[in-house]
Amino acid sequence: ALVSTQSTGKTAEKKKERKDLFNQFDPNGNGILSLAEVDKAIRDVLNIDEVFDAKPAIMRAFQAAKARGVSKRGDLGNDYIEFNEFRFFLLSLRQYFEYWEAFARTDADGDRRISLIEFKEAQSKIEVWVGPIGDIDGEFAKIDTNGGGMILFDEFCKWAIAKSLDLEDDDDNIVVE
């Protein structure tokens, strides 16, 4: 399957490509995608190991897509991704993977949490992604919304979205085969 930021286009040709890709993600053909089907397809259909290993990014993209609209299947569909949500899923997956990359680059010890020390040590690279941060302690406290003393991925994502985080070395036009 050919997947790129171009495959999220709105032309009839791109919609057909997406439908073909959706069908590959949906092996039982029931017209809805579970998280397990999405997870497996990222590994087996897209063959993108880096994304497959970024489970929190996959989960965020899945949650964002299924919450995108009201299901045509009633309550059953609200827990799954339908075709009309699939384009948004692909866009979200790309974006949340970028946030995951930024999070991982900041999480120096790899424990899937960012401490104040790690945040301070990464300040210069974070500022490349989001712009100047005046009060680093205050910014950390603002991100740590649950007050646990660590920044979790979901907290980081909310902050990254608000700050329009953009990695300096990402490729928005990457094509993966």
Side-chain angles (χ1 to χ4, degrees):
L2 182 67
V3 177
S4 74
T5 54
Q6 298 169 355
S7 69
T8 58
K10 293 183 178 182
T11 66
E13 178 185 345
K14 297 303 176 188
K15 186 173 182 179
K16 183 185 178 318
E17 284 178 18
R18 253 191 328 281
K19 184 64 172 170
D20 292 343
L21 183 61
F22 182 89
N23 289 338
Q24 291 178 55
F25 271 57
D26 184 22
N28 62 10
N30 66 357
I32 55 177
L33 304 178
S34 69
L35 179 59
E37 287 173 322
V38 166
D39 196 46
K40 185 176 184 322
I42 287 170
R43 184 191 66 213
D44 298 345
V45 176
L46 300 183
N47 296 311
I48 308 174
D49 290 335
E50 297 85 6
V51 176
F52 180 72
D53 292 337
K55 301 290 187 197
I58 296 169
M59 176 61 93
R60 286 261 163 238
F62 183 85
Q63 295 296 332
K66 73 182 188 85
R68 180 77 173 165
V70 177
S71 172
K72 296 176 182 174
R73 297 173 180 263
D75 289 342
L76 171 68
N78 290 335
D79 293 330
Y80 301 91
I81 295 175
E82 297 176 49
F83 179 69
N84 65 336
E85 299 161 325
F86 191 59
R87 178 179 175 274
F88 189 74
F89 168 74
L90 294 173
L91 290 167
S92 297
L93 182 63
R94 190 241 165 267
Q95 193 62 50
Y96 280 108
F97 182 62
E98 183 171 353
Y99 298 152
W100 178 255
E101 276 295 303
F103 183 85
R105 292 178 192 182
T106 307
D107 176 22
D109 65 8
D111 67 352
R112 295 190 173 200
R113 304 176 305 167
I114 299 171
S115 68
L116 178 58
I117 292 168
E118 289 170 322
F119 194 68
K120 285 181 174 182
E121 288 174 353
Q123 182 175 357
S124 62
K125 67 180 159 188
I126 293 170
E127 287 180 337
V128 170
W129 307 331
V130 301
I133 299 172
D135 174 11
I136 194 77
D137 292 299
E139 196 71 15
F140 182 90
K142 184 168 52 171
I143 301 167
D144 179 22
T145 56
N146 73 0
M150 297 283 209
I151 297 172
L152 305 176
F153 184 62
D154 66 323
E155 295 169 322
F156 185 84
C157 288
K158 291 172 187 167
W159 174 79
I161 291 166
K163 290 286 197 177
S164 301
L165 183 145
D166 187 28
L167 293 178
E168 76 284 4
D169 60 348
D170 70 329
D171 184 351
D172 292 332
N173 296 312
I174 192 168
V175 175
V176 179
E177 294 193 66

